Amino acid sequence: MVTLQWLSSQHKVKGKVPGLASKASNKLVINSAAFQDHITRSLLFPHFSPEDPLWKYKWKSTRKRVEVNGLQTPDQQEETEYVLDSAPPPLTLAQKLGLVASPAERLTEEDWTRVKMRSVHHGDSAQPCSICREEFHLHPQVLLSCSHVYHRACLQAFERFSGRKCCPMCRKDQYETRVIHDAAHLFRHQCATRIQACWRGYVARKRYRELRKSSCPKDKRLRRQFFEAKLQELNDSFVRYCHTDTEAFLSEIDRSLSSSRRVFEQLKRKHVSEPQEDDWDQIHSQVIQRGVKDCPICLTALSIAPEAGSSSQSQRRHTVMLSCSHLFHQICLEAFESFSTESRPSCPLCRSVYCKKLT
């Protein structure tokens, strides 16, 4: 544009520019002006603001809003997917003339669907962000036209510090950016799954504890513990509802048991019957089979009946056979009975009430 204005001001003759009579010259000048305009717009001042007078178009956001009665609901605002990139500037003269390649067309909804399917197939939303290496969770997430996924804040910081718009993974220039919520959906699903698993575990443990209290297990060790716990519960409830002194009550129970035991022992001793002659013969045979030769009290040899007319008969100590088939010296047994405090003494060996017979 500057070159064309300078040529027009310096060589204007009759409404025509000298040297531009031929079509080739006109085409060369137009191409030069088109290249200069394209360089000025694209390379020298790539960050013109929309208020700059050189720009003759308005930036238009392509974000799609879902409104209800003119207002957007919070849920819809969070779940709506939209493109962050503004509308592209109009084509320069060089691009219109085909001297410079025109920028690629904006992706349609079908293109974005294919890009998103490719990202889902690779599982990018389930992986950490490639820039900060942290999980997405509920943070804003963006999908690039090259199917790579990043945190929105991470991508903006990367673009700000790198000074260019280039994908950190595949190095693709001039990509398009779209806000998605796949990672947030996955995070909510994981949280819901974990909550449900915790709740199911709590319910199962609670039912198991109730089942253990009501049903007896089959294992012997567990069955014993089950009945011990039941008995402990009964004892605790008994003690809890007992209004008397516990120690005195237990002492009274012990005294009653001891007195009852003494009564039963006395009854047992009174009802011991005298063995018959046949019984004594059987007891004697048991003594012979046992082969006892020493007195259990004095630990000396038991006397054996001598032959008739023997001189040692006077020195022989008599032997006593008890109804429990034990043998003692008569003198030893009488001494034992004299030291006993019971009304009817018991056998020194087996502690049973006996009847005795001199042998």
Side-chain angles (χ1 to χ4, degrees):
M1 294 177 64
V2 177
T3 303
L4 185 60
Q5 292 175 358
W6 181 78
L7 290 174
S8 300
S9 60
Q10 295 295 327
H11 304 283
K12 193 177 294 183
V13 177
K14 296 182 182 181
K16 293 183 180 180
V17 180
L20 299 181
S22 64
K23 294 182 180 181
S25 300
N26 291 337
K27 186 175 181 181
L28 178 62
V29 173
I30 293 174
N31 291 344
S32 301
F35 275 120
Q36 185 178 8
D37 177 62
H38 179 78
I39 293 173
T40 302
R41 285 189 176 184
S42 302
L43 302 180
L44 298 182
F45 305 100
H47 302 293
F48 276 122
S49 62
E51 292 78 13
D52 196 290
L54 292 178
W55 295 96
K56 301 301 181 180
Y57 65 92
K58 296 182 180 180
W59 294 85
K60 296 182 181 180
S61 175
T62 58
R63 176 177 176 176
K64 296 183 178 180
R65 297 178 177 270
V66 180
E67 299 183 356
V68 178
N69 297 328
L71 298 176
Q72 188 176 12
T73 60
D75 295 339
Q76 292 171 342
Q77 185 176 3
E78 292 180 359
E79 300 299 332
T80 303
E81 295 185 1
Y82 55 91
V83 179
L84 285 175
D85 303 284
S86 303
L91 298 178
T92 61
L93 180 59
Q95 292 174 342
K96 291 180 179 180
L97 294 177
L99 302 176
V100 178
S102 302
E105 297 182 358
R106 303 296 296 272
L107 296 181
T108 62
E109 286 297 327
E110 296 181 357
D111 297 334
W112 278 116
T113 302
R114 288 193 293 268
V115 171
K116 188 174 181 180
M117 290 178 61
R118 188 162 59 250
S119 175
V120 171
H121 178 71
H122 293 161
D124 294 338
S125 298
Q127 303 296 329
C129 175
S130 300
I131 299 177
C132 65
R133 301 306 300 170
E134 293 184 1
E135 299 292 341
F136 287 102
H137 291 172
L138 297 178
H139 300 292
Q141 178 190 16
V142 291
L143 172 66
L144 306 188
S145 56
C146 55
S147 75
H148 293 132
V149 180
Y150 306 97
H151 280 127
R152 180 175 178 179
C154 296
L155 184 64
Q156 291 176 352
F158 178 81
E159 292 176 352
R160 183 170 61 254
F161 286 102
S162 63
R164 55 183 299 190
K165 195 172 183 180
C166 176
C167 176
M169 293 288 290
C170 63
R171 305 301 179 184
K172 179 181 179 180
D173 295 327
Q174 301 303 322
Y175 51 78
E176 295 186 38
T177 310
R178 184 181 180 91
V179 176
I180 61 174
H181 308 279
D182 293 357
H185 295 164
L186 292 175
F187 181 69
R188 292 192 185 98
H189 179 72
Q190 293 175 358
C191 293
T193 304
R194 185 175 299 178
I195 292 172
Q196 292 175 0
C198 293
W199 173 252
R200 286 194 297 267
Y202 167 75
V203 173
R205 289 190 296 270
K206 184 177 179 181
R207 290 180 179 176
Y208 177 70
R209 286 193 295 267
E210 295 176 354
L211 185 63
R212 287 186 59 183
K213 293 180 180 179
S214 59
S215 61
C216 179
K218 296 182 179 180
D219 186 72
K220 292 182 179 180
R221 184 176 60 84
L222 297 179
R223 188 185 298 115
R224 180 177 179 180
Q225 295 178 359
F226 175 78
F227 286 112
E228 287 178 355
K230 287 293 183 182
L231 182 59
Q232 185 65 33
E233 291 180 2
L234 292 176
N235 292 336
D236 295 341
S237 61
F238 176 74
V239 173
R240 186 168 53 254
Y241 290 105
C242 184
H243 300 287
T244 59
D245 187 8
T246 306
E247 295 295 333
F249 179 73
L250 295 177
S251 300
E252 184 66 25
I253 291 177
D254 293 338
R255 287 194 297 270
S256 300
L257 289 175
S258 60
S259 61
S260 300
R261 190 178 295 111
R262 285 195 299 269
V263 170
F264 283 114
E265 289 178 355
Q266 292 175 2
L267 292 174
K268 182 179 180 181
R269 290 172 183 175
K270 289 181 180 179
H271 287 83
V272 174
S273 59
E274 183 73 19
Q276 301 298 325
E277 191 64 28
D278 296 338
D279 297 335
W280 283 115
D281 295 339
Q282 186 177 0
I283 293 172
H284 188 267
S285 63
Q286 293 178 0
V287 172
I288 295 174
Q289 291 178 1
R290 189 179 293 115
V292 179
K293 298 180 180 180
D294 297 332
C295 175
I297 297 177
C298 64
L299 301 179
T300 58
L302 293 171
S303 300
I304 302 175
E307 297 179 356
S310 175
S311 59
S312 62
Q313 184 175 4
S314 59
Q315 299 178 358
R316 185 174 69 89
R317 289 190 294 180
H318 296 283
T319 304
V320 178
M321 183 174 59
L322 305 185
S323 59
C324 57
S325 72
H326 292 134
L327 289 177
F328 300 92
H329 287 137
Q330 183 180 7
I331 299 175
C332 298
L333 185 62
E334 290 176 355
F336 176 78
E337 292 176 352
S338 63
F339 284 101
S340 178
T341 58
E342 299 178 357
S343 59
R344 189 167 184 178
S346 58
C347 175
L349 290 179
C350 62
R351 303 301 180 184
S352 62
V353 180
Y354 59 84
C355 294
K356 57 185 178 179
K357 180 181 179 182
L358 187 63
T359 59

